[in-house]
Amino acid sequence: MTDTCRRRSVSFTSPQRFRMKFEDLLEELDGFGRFQKMILFLSFIGRFTLPCHFLLNNYIGAIPPHHCALSSVDGNLTHEQRMTISIPKQEDGTFTSCHMFSEPQFHLLGDELSVTNASVVECQNGWTFDNSSFISTLATEWDLVCENRGMNKAMATIFFIGVMLGAAIYGSLSDRYGRKTMLLVSYVLSLCFAMASVFSSSIIMFAVLRFFTGLNITGIVIVTSVLNVEWVSIESRKLVGVIDSFSWTFGYMVLPVMGWVPESARWLIANGKVEKAQYYLQKCAVMNKRTTGISILKPEVLSSIVSEGGNRTYSYLDLMRTPNMRRLALLTGVTWYGVASTYYGMSFNIKGFGLNLYLNQFLYAAVEIPAKLLVYLLLDRIGRRPTEVSGLLLSSCALIINIFIPKDQWIVRSVIGVLGKGFTAIAFSTLVLYSSELYPTVIRQNGMGFISFMGRLGVALAPLILLLDDMWTHLSQVILCIIALIAGVVASQLPETKDRCLPETIEDIEGTRCGAMDQEEQAWEILTPISENEVTEALRGMGATVVGLDKVEVKDLLQWHQPTLAGYLNLILALEELPKILTTA
């Protein structure tokens, strides 16, 4: 990818040498007008559903306090007395959850401290649950407790395996059939499978339906992120990325009507569908009240934006065929795995700091608001890469610090935990925008599908990492700390994308178009001192028409491009009079 990307017009008569960039069109049509705001609004509503699905297991997978169901016992005994003669106690004085006496121990009514040698068996008649916090969960519905308690965490893993596979499927299909088409498919199928899961009659049926819900809902995640970034100008991408991430923070279960969402014009041009791209760009110009720019939306101009694409079909293999693309895919894949695993590992650990479960969940969500506002400030001030690396390294520090804080200091532990969650939110919010800017248009959705696959792999393994706390209390925190640290180091190797045009082709990533760009950069630097009047006089001395523009008046050309000097450079290049102007300069 070239190091710089100044926004400029390009030659209409020499498309093979100087190609127009999509950012030039957005500059003419308003890169963040009402058209783009409408797209962002629809996407924002669409993503409301995501947190409810992704964090649902925190609630449906909860295991309320429970004990073996008591058999009928003769006599007028209170509930506490029935518990005493039926359920053995643990060392801390609480009743066990998974065992009961084989026979009632009436002698314990007189002396609860007396030692009994009665045999203990597993629960014979099911369990009784405390419904003060949860009325119904997977554990209460299908008795997923004791030796089956791991199935509650497994439900989260099964869901995220579906999300992981869906990322690969929707990433590929979105590059082939378009962003809008696959977004609508994702909405419809995820709605159907989510609704069907409500009526599950067995844990197996529920697991299957949750798998397919995850598989289809991931299309909403990756398609809306790319669609938003591809439709806005360079300076607006930061704002769009942050606003889009807020839809997760404020997520509620809302299903919108998404039929009007336009296809990505970048994708249409990259795939040779120039006429349809022209249609959407014209609608964009009209809605943004930039009708003067419609005259430049000609098929031959749009066709010059990219040199690859057309009827060629891209696949995930193209991520590995060339060296720079391969390196980019590997670096972003590892980073996504690390960020997702750390973020969800902390999100799922809502009972580890001594706070009320609901309060802890609320604080974890609330801290994302200042975190994402901070992302908005940092993205342009220090750049994408430093923001990403800082978020990962600071979250790693928070995890390791909490290991050395005693559990009785739960307030300090909770503060550090919430701060760590905020740092992971910074890393995740930055990474979505950052990744969208790194991949070229012709394969962007494939790239997003691949890295989302890697991210969901991290999410799927996060609940299993938390199970390691049974071996050592802090083992999961140590592992998550190491993962975040490695991801931060890997992210530091990615290129910066601040203030740079989105790459359109694999050639842009591999640098095979650098020669032409270097010539243009050199010409730009030389022409910078030239005044508007000097350029205007030079143009008028060349004649009143320009080849390739259907005899358009020079004054109209100047009106289109004022006051951008890049526009004058473009006209000079088009007339092949650059040597003359350079001489006078």
Side-chain angles (χ1 to χ4, degrees), residues 401-462:
I401 289 173
N402 252 346
I403 294 177
F404 299 100
I405 300 178
K407 285 192 173 183
D408 57 350
Q409 298 183 20
W410 59 270
I411 295 180
V412 178
R413 285 175 55 82
S414 297
V415 170
I416 299 298
V418 170
L419 287 175
K421 178 59 165 55
F423 292 137
T424 62
I426 289 175
F428 219 142
S429 300
T430 303
L431 189 58
V432 175
L433 172 64
Y434 193 14
S435 302
S436 299
E437 295 176 334
L438 286 169
Y439 282 93
T441 299
V442 295
I443 200 173
R444 181 169 295 121
Q445 203 69 75
N446 273 295
M448 293 298 289
F450 166 71
I451 58 180
S452 186
F453 176 94
M454 294 297 297
R456 305 317 163 190
L457 175 61
V459 179
L461 294 179

Side-chain angles (χ1 to χ4, degrees), residues 11-151:
S11 173
F12 296 103
T13 59
S14 305
Q16 295 303 316
R17 183 180 177 187
F18 300 104
R19 300 177 178 88
M20 171 174 278
K21 291 188 174 295
F22 196 84
E23 279 73 14
D24 298 317
L25 292 178
L26 291 177
E27 187 174 359
E28 295 289 344
L29 307 180
D30 190 351
F32 194 59
R34 290 191 298 173
F35 186 85
Q36 285 82 358
K37 291 173 183 176
M38 178 206 64
I39 298 173
L40 180 60
F41 174 73
L42 292 176
S43 298
F44 189 93
I45 297 176
R47 293 170 69 93
F48 274 175
T49 63
L50 301 182
C52 299
H53 283 284
F54 280 59
L55 299 177
L56 181 64
N57 212 69
N58 279 343
Y59 302 99
I60 66 172
I63 303 177
H66 57 280
H67 59 77
C68 296
L70 304 178
S71 59
S72 59
V73 179
D74 295 333
N76 296 322
L77 299 179
T78 65
H79 177 73
E80 186 66 23
Q81 289 175 329
R82 294 179 63 198
M83 289 282 292
T84 299
I85 66 174
S86 302
I87 309 295
K89 289 186 176 181
Q90 303 178 101
E91 294 181 359
D92 60 1
T94 61
F95 292 104
T96 61
S97 300
C98 301
H99 295 88
M100 61 185 298
F101 293 124
S102 58
E103 296 291 340
Q105 305 297 302
F106 289 100
H107 68 278
L108 295 177
L109 291 176
D111 183 8
E112 294 186 13
L113 298 179
S114 64
V115 179
T116 178
N117 295 321
S119 62
V120 175
V121 296
E122 295 181 352
C123 297
Q124 302 296 303
N125 305 305
W127 289 264
T128 299
F129 294 90
D130 179 359
N131 295 326
S132 59
S133 296
F134 299 97
I135 296 176
S136 177
T137 67
L138 297 178
T140 63
E141 189 72 18
W142 290 297
D143 289 342
L144 300 184
V145 293
C146 300
E147 69 273 8
N148 294 323
R149 64 184 293 117
M151 286 294 293

Side-chain angles (χ1 to χ4, degrees), residues 502-529:
L502 293 179
E504 304 292 351
T505 68
I506 294 178
E507 289 179 345
D508 292 331
I509 301 296
E510 297 302 325
T512 55
R513 290 169 58 181
C514 287
M517 291 300 296
D518 290 343
Q519 296 174 23
E520 196 172 350
E521 287 291 341
Q522 184 180 10
W524 173 273
E525 297 297 335
I526 297 175
L527 281 171
T528 299

Side-chain angles (χ1 to χ4, degrees), residues 476-489:
S476 65
Q477 285 183 272
V478 172
I479 293 176
L480 292 175
C481 173
I482 294 173
I483 291 174
L485 182 63
I486 293 174
V489 173

